Amino acid sequence: MFEQNKELMRAEILTIGNEVVSGLIQDSNSQFLSSRLNSAGVNVRRMTSVGDDPEDMVDALNGALERVDLILVTGGLGSTHDDLTKQVLAQRFGHSLVMNDTVLRRLESIMASRGKAMTPGFRSQAEVPDKAEILHNAVGSAPGLLFQHDGKKVYALPGVPKEMRHLYEKYIHPELEANSSGRIAHRLLRTTGLSESELWPLVGGVEELERWVSVASLPSYEGVKIRLSASGKNREETLSKIEQAERWLVPKIEKYIFARDDELMEEVIGRLLLKESKTLGLAESCTGGLIGHRLTQVPGSSAYFIQGAVVYSNEAKMRLLGVSEETLRHFGAVSRETALEMAKGICERSGSDYGLAVTGILGPGGGSEEKPVGLTFIAVADSETSHCEEFRFHQDRKINKERAAQAALNLLRLRLLRVL
Amino acid sequence: MFEQNKELMRAEILTIGNEVVSGLIQDSNSQFLSSRLNSAGVNVRRMTSVGDDPEDMVDALNGALERVDLILVTGGLGSTHDDLTKQVLAQRFGHSLVMNDTVLRRLESIMASRGKAMTPGFRSQAEVPDKAEILHNAVGSAPGLLFQHDGKKVYALPGVPKEMRHLYEKYIHPELEANSSGRIAHRLLRTTGLSESELWPLVGGVEELERWVSVASLPSYEGVKIRLSASGKNREETLSKIEQAERWLVPKIEKYIFARDDELMEEVIGRLLLKESKTLGLAESCTGGLIGHRLTQVPGSSAYFIQGAVVYSNEAKMRLLGVSEETLRHFGAVSRETALEMAKGICERSGSDYGLAVTGILGPGGGSEEKPVGLTFIAVADSETSHCEEFRFHQDRKINKERAAQAALNLLRLRLLRVL
């Protein structure tokens, strides 16, 4: 696993809100911030969540102030009675609250655009700690705040993810990156098709790799992510280590790497189809629409995704895709033969260049000794060729669905790259 | 917002792992545990994540031991060199590690089932702190551990969510629930179709409600969740408060409540269709397969979900659903007329009892002054009637898609309940 570099700036993240500690919502802000801080060369040492309780907030804040120089607080900056972060921080650092005209004008324009009158609660968001720096919020109402105290920085950001991200990217990340001189860099290699225990033997151990980088390997249902992390005196040295590690590693597992860094499988597929000016038709049985959903998460996907058929019933497979009754009777709905006819059928009937088809048994019911839960056939066809692969997933219904969708997109990717 | 009851048992959750503090993965265990602990009448005061660093782990643990009587630690129990939780806890509480035969036999049978030889690292998972209680792990390799120290309990659970949940449900929750005598109870009312600021005026303020319960209101793209929480001397008193609050609240917003507690919209739809022995066909344009994906998350959905058409192109709308070229030319693909023809088309062509159709402009491109991004038409039809509603979503592409899918399922729900 990835070793943290102890020379880097150290930070903590503090999340405020009863909705988090009571389990009503999942805190996604902390992961976003830790990932971004990390990429800016900051070492996140601890993440803490407490409820809307001033004593707990001050206690958690004081602990963090003892340990690190940079603290990011999220949540509790809104306009309702349980939003106490601003008051608690102002009191802790000895600030008074003063009305800020720029923020007030923004609040007024928000209310005007909603056709509503200003309320005292909403207006109170323009009261800011007098010695704090204001991080103006262009996508919401509550501004962010920066407190400087004994050489330490405490940023307070709204809990609404969109607003938090906006303020972080605008005010915090650029400054951290400018100061970090590129002393840390990461490269994420996204693989699919092999488990961790199948993947690493192909690499042959990480010792060689660790001459240049530290390595984190993270399995998920979509595949194994490998993160390479390097640190050095400057950006050039750091990036060069990453590149050396990649030159050594990638050739050993190239076929399984579908994307780097933040790129998603559905974006890769879109890029490859656009490059060839080709179109796609989908025939989904057990994935139920998940592949179409993933493809259409990408803006502009209408340029290559022509049509999808969700064919849960045998009748729909025959009527919409032209799968023959005989094939279904002889081989069953979950079979190589049916998958191939589905892929050819959607390709012909949608007039797409490629047809992609999935049929499988998700579970928990529907399995047999001959055809167990998890058995899945995936086929890809164009006007001349067709190819089908058999998969045996385990786990439960939802996981089998995720795996089947990912395996199907990967089969298409390999076909588009002429690996198949 | 929900006020925490200060008389309840207090707990903290501590997550161990560099993969969490470095932002590589999102910690979902803490939310699961806090939500479950809460429902067992335990007040979660703080959640902390630290990396695989013994000093940080001990420091965080010591802080929690000062504040609360119950601590749940997750992560770092596996068989690789960075899994240090067991060693750190054993040292902190003065335990020695001893080989446990029951655990060892389980590890041996796991390796045998994989056809692999035992390795020293894997075997080391059978070494357990000598005075700790073993929580046997039937779904994974590393056992959970219970340390009792100065009247306080520290549970260590594996970080793999499936294993953590299994051990929590088997060993921890039943005991907590038995001891809590039902002093706290929750009811989640899931609403959709109104924003928070539209919903609460229908209720007319929460003061009345707060005679019986405390109230948390949580907006999301799928709707507003209202959580009612009551505490009392015993289960009877607690539940009676919840019921009184519901009797007062529900009639004011009944139409918007689609489910209670953990039930999902797609489960509600399945239940309603099964009750009537009716079937459904789907025609998705802008939702791209998301509705089909959601419906097929429910085991047994093949009994009522016959077929779906993902019709991104005009041609597919005509060919698969029989939408007329004239309608598309006159009114456009995103129009009431097209939505209605799509719903009738899928209903007729799939032979389903109901047809549900969605067409809209997700963004970021494709909008115009007359038809802005977010404009969406949703139609439901059966052999005799049809109904279409217009929605104007804002936000971004992914959020519009979530909202459109939820609104479509809700329209079908209201139709199945004869509210439409």
Side-chain angles (χ1 to χ4, degrees):
Chain A
M1 273 297 295
F2 162 58
E3 279 296 309
Q4 297 199 329
N5 180 332
K6 305 220 169 187
E7 285 164 28
L8 302 175
M9 179 191 275
R10 295 151 63 95
E12 293 198 16
I13 297 167
L14 175 55
T15 307
I16 311 291
N18 284 344
E19 67 276 23
V20 173
V21 289
S22 69
L24 194 54
I25 65 163
Q26 175 144 16
D27 162 38
S28 62
N29 289 343
S30 294
Q31 189 204 355
F32 170 83
L33 288 174
S34 58
S35 167
R36 293 294 287 150
L37 287 166
N38 216 277
S39 75
V42 175
N43 183 346
V44 176
R45 302 297 300 175
R46 190 177 296 208
M47 308 190 304
T48 307
S49 304
V50 297
D52 302 305
D53 179 308
E55 262 181 61
D56 285 349
M57 287 163 63
V58 170
D59 183 72
L61 179 67
N62 286 343
L65 284 167
E66 274 173 32
R67 290 181 295 259
V68 299
D69 297 322
L70 174 64
I71 301 167
L72 273 69
V73 183
T74 62
L77 286 184
S79 59
T80 59
H81 72 281
D82 57 344
D83 288 314
L84 302 170
T85 302
K86 182 172 69 183
Q87 285 76 0
V88 167
L89 291 175
Q91 200 179 350
R92 171 67 182 75
F93 296 125
H95 291 218
S96 308
L97 294 181
V98 293
M99 185 59 67
N100 182 292
D101 285 341
T102 312
V103 179
L104 183 59
R105 278 196 302 274
R106 164 141 186 87
L107 297 178
E108 284 168 349
S109 82
I110 290 173
M111 282 312 218
S113 75
R114 295 181 189 166
K116 289 181 181 171
M118 179 66 80
T119 64
F122 198 74
R123 189 174 195 272
S124 73
Q125 294 179 101
E127 289 175 0
V128 297
D130 55 358
K131 295 182 289 273
E133 191 179 309
I134 310 306
L135 317 182
H136 290 286
N137 183 349
V139 299
S141 54
L145 302 167
L146 165 58
F147 298 84
Q148 307 231 28
H149 181 79
D150 283 350
K152 292 165 191 271
K153 288 186 175 186
V154 178
Y155 286 95
L157 303 173
V160 179
K162 192 171 86 172
E163 302 179 26
M164 182 277 297
R165 288 172 186 225
H166 162 70
L167 292 176
Y168 175 81
E169 298 296 355
K170 183 167 176 196
Y171 291 99
I172 306 176
H173 197 79
E175 195 188 318
L176 293 174
E177 225 173 23
N179 292 335
S180 78
S181 345
R183 285 182 304 171
I184 194 166
H186 301 290
R187 167 70 22 94
L188 200 63
L189 300 174
R190 297 174 180 259
T191 77
T192 195
L194 292 179
S195 70
E196 247 185 328
S197 59
E198 292 163 330
L199 186 72
W200 285 105
L202 296 183
V203 175
V206 293
E207 297 75 16
E208 185 78 0
L209 209 47
E210 285 175 340
R211 289 196 294 150
W212 305 292
V213 294
S214 50
V215 182
S217 162
L218 204 88
S220 79
Y221 303 126
E222 297 193 338
V224 179
K225 292 178 200 165
I226 300 175
R227 186 167 73 169
L228 310 179
S229 306
S231 55
K233 285 192 290 294
N234 54 46
R235 185 177 300 271
E236 217 169 39
E237 184 187 325
T238 312
L239 289 179
S240 147
K241 287 181 183 176
I242 296 262
E243 280 159 18
Q244 285 178 293
E246 272 197 284
R247 270 198 298 275
W248 183 87
L249 174 64
V250 170
K252 303 178 197 302
I253 53 171
E254 189 149 30
K255 180 179 162 189
Y256 304 99
I257 299 173
F258 66 86
R260 280 177 171 70
D261 296 329
D262 291 333
E263 198 176 27
L264 301 176
M265 177 68 91
E266 45 270 37
E267 293 168 334
V268 174
I269 296 292
R271 183 163 51 71
L272 293 172
L273 286 168
L274 281 175
K275 198 172 119 194
E276 293 195 14
S277 303
K278 300 287 188 191
T279 56
L280 175 68
L282 269 184
E284 301 190 60
S285 179
C286 65
T287 46
L290 174 56
I291 301 175
H293 169 49
R294 286 184 58 180
L295 286 171
T296 56
Q297 291 290 77
V298 181
S301 45
S302 56
Y304 47 83
F305 178 38
I306 297 298
Q307 107 188 17
V310 180
V311 286
Y312 241 49
S313 64
N314 278 354
E315 219 202 323
K317 288 182 184 72
M318 293 189 281
R319 194 173 48 222
L320 291 182
L321 304 172
V323 175
S324 79
E325 201 177 343
E326 211 189 321
T327 300
L328 289 167
R329 202 173 44 231
H330 259 23
F331 302 102
V334 178
S335 64
R336 180 176 299 276
E337 292 74 12
T338 297
L340 283 165
E341 287 190 25
M342 286 168 67
K344 286 180 210 158
I346 192 68
C347 192
E348 279 165 23
R349 296 189 174 207
S350 67
S352 306
D353 298 304
Y354 293 98
L356 180 64
V358 186
T359 179
I361 303 160
L362 285 188
S368 65
E369 200 158 321
E370 198 196 347
K371 294 191 175 180
V373 164
L375 179 68
T376 302
F377 293 91
I378 301 176
V380 59
D382 58 24
S383 59
E384 286 164 16
T385 67
S386 63
H387 181 89
C388 181
E389 285 196 12
E390 177 183 331
F391 296 83
R392 286 175 185 258
F393 305 116
H394 308 280
Q395 313 283 350
D396 68 6
R397 179 181 185 84
K398 287 182 187 177
I399 295 171
N400 285 342
K401 207 178 181 190
E402 301 283 344
R403 291 196 156 173
Q406 182 76 351
L409 291 171
N410 194 46
L411 199 73
L412 177 61
R413 179 185 75 90
L414 293 172
R415 178 68 188 78
L416 290 169
L417 290 171
R418 312 278 184 277
V419 177
L420 284 185
Chain B
M1 275 297 295
F2 163 55
E3 278 298 308
Q4 299 199 328
N5 181 332
K6 307 221 169 186
E7 286 164 28
L8 301 175
M9 179 192 275
R10 294 151 63 97
E12 293 197 15
I13 297 166
L14 175 55
T15 307
I16 310 292
N18 284 345
E19 67 276 22
V20 172
V21 289
S22 69
L24 194 55
I25 65 163
Q26 174 142 19
D27 162 38
S28 61
N29 288 342
S30 295
Q31 189 203 355
F32 170 83
L33 288 174
S34 58
S35 167
R36 292 295 286 150
L37 287 166
N38 216 278
S39 75
V42 176
N43 183 346
V44 176
R45 302 297 299 174
R46 189 178 297 208
M47 307 191 303
T48 307
S49 304
V50 297
D52 302 306
D53 180 306
E55 262 180 61
D56 285 350
M57 286 163 63
V58 171
D59 184 72
L61 178 68
N62 286 343
L65 284 167
E66 274 173 33
R67 290 182 294 260
V68 299
D69 298 322
L70 174 65
I71 301 168
L72 273 68
V73 183
T74 63
L77 286 185
S79 59
T80 58
H81 72 280
D82 57 342
D83 287 314
L84 302 170
T85 302
K86 182 172 68 184
Q87 285 77 2
V88 166
L89 290 175
Q91 198 178 350
R92 171 67 182 78
F93 296 127
H95 290 218
S96 308
L97 294 182
V98 293
M99 186 58 67
N100 183 292
D101 284 341
T102 313
V103 178
L104 183 59
R105 279 196 302 274
R106 165 143 186 85
L107 297 179
E108 284 166 349
S109 81
I110 290 173
M111 281 311 216
S113 76
R114 294 181 190 167
K116 290 181 181 170
M118 178 67 80
T119 64
F122 198 74
R123 189 173 196 272
S124 74
Q125 295 179 102
E127 289 174 0
V128 298
D130 55 357
K131 296 184 287 275
E133 191 178 311
I134 310 305
L135 317 182
H136 290 286
N137 183 349
V139 298
S141 55
L145 302 166
L146 164 59
F147 297 85
Q148 306 230 29
H149 181 80
D150 283 350
K152 293 165 191 271
K153 288 186 175 187
V154 178
Y155 286 96
L157 303 174
V160 179
K162 193 171 85 171
E163 302 179 25
M164 181 278 297
R165 288 173 186 224
H166 162 70
L167 292 177
Y168 175 81
E169 298 297 355
K170 183 167 175 195
Y171 291 98
I172 307 177
H173 196 81
E175 194 187 319
L176 292 174
E177 222 172 27
N179 293 334
S180 78
S181 349
R183 285 180 304 170
I184 194 165
H186 301 290
R187 167 69 22 95
L188 199 62
L189 301 173
R190 296 173 180 259
T191 78
T192 196
L194 291 179
S195 69
E196 246 185 330
S197 60
E198 293 164 329
L199 187 73
W200 285 105
L202 297 183
V203 175
V206 294
E207 297 77 16
E208 185 78 2
L209 208 48
E210 285 176 339
R211 289 196 295 151
W212 305 292
V213 293
S214 50
V215 182
S217 161
L218 203 87
S220 80
Y221 304 126
E222 298 193 338
V224 178
K225 292 177 199 166
I226 300 174
R227 186 167 73 169
L228 310 178
S229 306
S231 56
K233 284 191 292 293
N234 52 46
R235 186 176 298 272
E236 216 169 41
E237 184 187 326
T238 312
L239 288 179
S240 146
K241 287 181 183 175
I242 295 261
E243 281 160 18
Q244 284 179 295
E246 272 197 285
R247 272 199 296 276
W248 182 87
L249 174 64
V250 170
K252 302 180 198 303
I253 53 171
E254 189 149 29
K255 182 178 161 190
Y256 303 99
I257 300 172
F258 65 86
R260 279 176 171 71
D261 297 329
D262 291 333
E263 199 176 26
L264 301 176
M265 177 68 91
E266 44 271 38
E267 293 169 333
V268 173
I269 296 292
R271 183 164 51 71
L272 293 171
L273 285 168
L274 281 175
K275 199 173 119 193
E276 291 195 15
S277 303
K278 300 287 188 190
T279 58
L280 176 68
L282 269 184
E284 302 191 59
S285 180
C286 66
T287 46
L290 174 57
I291 301 175
H293 169 49
R294 286 183 59 179
L295 287 171
T296 56
Q297 290 292 76
V298 181
S301 45
S302 55
Y304 47 82
F305 177 38
I306 296 301
Q307 108 189 18
V310 180
V311 285
Y312 241 48
S313 65
N314 278 355
E315 219 202 323
K317 289 182 184 73
M318 294 188 283
R319 196 173 48 223
L320 292 183
L321 304 171
V323 176
S324 79
E325 200 177 343
E326 211 189 321
T327 300
L328 289 167
R329 203 174 44 233
H330 260 22
F331 303 102
V334 179
S335 64
R336 180 176 300 276
E337 292 75 11
T338 296
L340 284 165
E341 287 189 24
M342 286 169 68
K344 285 180 211 155
I346 192 69
C347 193
E348 279 165 23
R349 295 189 175 206
S350 67
S352 306
D353 298 304
Y354 293 97
L356 180 64
V358 186
T359 180
I361 303 162
L362 285 187
S368 65
E369 200 158 319
E370 198 195 347
K371 294 191 176 182
V373 165
L375 179 68
T376 303
F377 293 91
I378 301 175
V380 59
D382 59 23
S383 59
E384 285 165 17
T385 67
S386 62
H387 181 87
C388 181
E389 284 197 14
E390 177 183 331
F391 296 83
R392 287 175 184 257
F393 304 116
H394 308 280
Q395 313 283 352
D396 67 8
R397 179 179 184 84
K398 288 183 186 177
I399 296 170
N400 286 343
K401 208 177 180 190
E402 301 283 344
R403 290 195 159 174
Q406 181 75 351
L409 290 171
N410 194 47
L411 198 74
L412 176 61
R413 180 184 74 91
L414 294 172
R415 178 68 189 78
L416 291 169
L417 291 172
R418 313 277 185 279
V419 176
L420 283 185

